Amino acid sequence: MAKSVTKTQADPSEVMVKRVYSDSSIETEKDILAIEEPLEIRIAFYTKGRLETRAISITMRTPGDDFYLAAGFLFTEGIIRSAKEISDIKYCGKIGQPQNTVRVDLIKSTSIDFKKLERHFYTTSSCGVCGKSSIEALSTGAQPVAINGFRVSRPFDIHLMPELLRKSQSVFDETGGLHAAGLFDREGELIDIKEDVGRHNAVDKLIGAQLLEKNIPLNDKILFLSGRASFELVQKAVMAQIPIIAAVSAPSSLAVSAAKEFNITLLGFVRDQKFNIYSGSE
């Protein structure tokens, strides 16, 4: 498993709740909640010989693996192309205050596409951008996934993944409130797992870890999602060149279209010893 460069997930928060039962009895008990805090991602880059810093994203996330999250976000959104373009990653802000701002310093030769910094990221299903435009925008910064003979010969391996992922969700065990993204090899072995309150954050943390370990492209790996497969998660898999995405829940129509466009095998409803193949059955 990739070694973390930042702290692991934040300790869950404890609250007291009143639990109401079907017989109308009420008990006061302790409950555990997943932490949710904002993270601002900033980049420092050189323009005309001068160092400039700019905030490019604010996301609500579960604290922990923040450097992976920042690196993964920059990579999957096409702002950087490899870990070689990063010279440093660090927290900003005063000592003793919450570490909710991360700055990624880029090397001098990094070329920035400023249009990508105008926050036209597809972060919600209601962003007002049509599906065709979304896929065309992805096409400008990504190539179809190169399979290179990668195959999963035993469906049995796929059927085991939900249980393997679930057993590794340490924070979910305490809170029941986190999404997970897991990376598996062709033999069905779990390589790494990341958890977060946001599906997209969990995937960015996972891909960011592999990016900083210089393991990209991931064209012999499988991405497994604890929830549904949306377009933005397919987009991130395309950028990391992951050939197979499997999800416990359903894919969206745009996710299926993007998977077909970029040569990704997309599996949905992977649970209860069955799954649906939406693209790439070969």
Side-chain angles (χ1 to χ4, degrees):
M1 182 178 293
K3 185 178 180 181
S4 175
V5 295
T6 65
K7 61 183 179 180
T8 55
Q9 301 293 354
D11 293 333
S13 175
E14 294 184 358
V15 297
M16 299 305 297
V17 300
K18 292 186 181 298
R19 190 156 290 158
V20 182
Y21 295 90
S22 59
D23 62 359
S24 298
S25 61
I26 300 176
E27 294 181 1
T28 301
E29 299 180 7
K30 182 172 66 176
D31 195 16
I32 307 296
L33 303 178
I35 301 293
E36 182 179 26
E37 293 180 359
L39 178 72
E40 179 181 89
I41 299 173
R42 305 182 65 86
I43 60 171
F45 58 97
Y46 286 87
T47 175
K48 297 180 180 179
R50 296 175 54 189
L51 183 65
E52 180 178 335
T53 63
R54 187 177 300 188
I56 62 170
S57 174
I58 297 178
T59 184
M60 299 303 296
R61 98 302 189 191
T62 302
D65 292 322
D66 291 334
F67 291 0
Y68 288 157
L69 173 56
F73 176 82
L74 294 180
F75 178 74
T76 61
E77 294 295 343
I79 297 171
I80 63 172
R81 290 162 292 279
S82 75
K84 295 179 180 179
E85 296 182 73
I86 298 175
S87 63
D88 192 22
I89 306 179
K90 55 193 171 187
Y91 285 108
C92 301
K94 297 180 180 179
I95 297 175
Q97 292 186 348
Q99 294 178 315
N100 287 335
T101 301
V102 167
R103 193 179 99 177
V104 182
D105 293 356
L106 306 180
I107 62 175
K108 287 186 177 181
S109 60
T110 301
S111 176
I112 301 295
D113 183 349
F114 287 94
K115 290 184 179 180
K116 290 185 179 294
L117 301 184
E118 294 173 355
R119 295 198 50 77
H120 64 290
F121 305 123
Y122 309 116
T123 55
T124 70
S125 298
S126 57
C127 62
V129 181
C130 75
K132 184 174 183 294
S133 297
S134 299
I135 292 178
E136 286 177 349
L138 177 56
S139 298
T140 63
Q143 298 295 323
V145 175
I147 301 299
N148 295 333
F150 180 62
R151 295 287 187 275
V152 175
S153 59
R154 301 184 303 173
F156 176 73
D157 293 333
I158 300 293
H159 294 309
L160 290 177
M161 289 181 184
E163 182 179 0
L164 292 173
L165 189 77
R166 178 66 185 81
K167 286 181 177 179
S168 298
Q169 288 185 255
S170 58
V171 183
F172 183 91
D173 286 338
E174 297 183 84
T175 68
L178 288 185
H179 295 284
L183 194 67
F184 288 81
D185 64 17
R186 68 173 69 228
E187 283 77 36
E189 294 292 328
L190 181 61
I191 298 169
D192 198 2
I193 179 175
K194 295 289 182 277
E195 296 181 272
D196 199 275
V197 289
R199 287 186 300 269
H200 56 293
N201 289 337
V203 174
D204 276 339
K205 287 179 177 180
L206 188 73
I207 293 177
Q210 297 301 311
L211 176 74
L212 295 182
E213 293 290 337
K214 297 180 174 57
N215 293 330
I216 302 290
L218 300 172
N219 51 14
D220 59 348
K221 301 295 186 294
I222 300 168
L223 173 63
F224 195 91
L225 307 172
S226 65
R228 66 183 180 88
S230 63
F231 166 76
E232 63 178 347
L233 301 186
V234 173
Q235 168 194 332
K236 293 177 185 300
V238 169
M239 298 301 288
Q241 290 287 289
I242 299 174
I244 299 178
I245 302 173
V248 169
S249 192
S252 67
S253 60
L254 190 55
V256 173
S257 296
K260 291 179 178 178
E261 179 77 15
F262 289 92
N263 203 28
I264 283 180
T265 296
L266 180 59
L267 313 178
F269 294 106
V270 184
R271 60 192 189 215
D272 303 323
Q273 299 302 304
K274 62 180 182 293
F275 56 81
N276 297 340
I277 304 177
Y278 292 90
S279 69
S281 60
E282 67 278 6

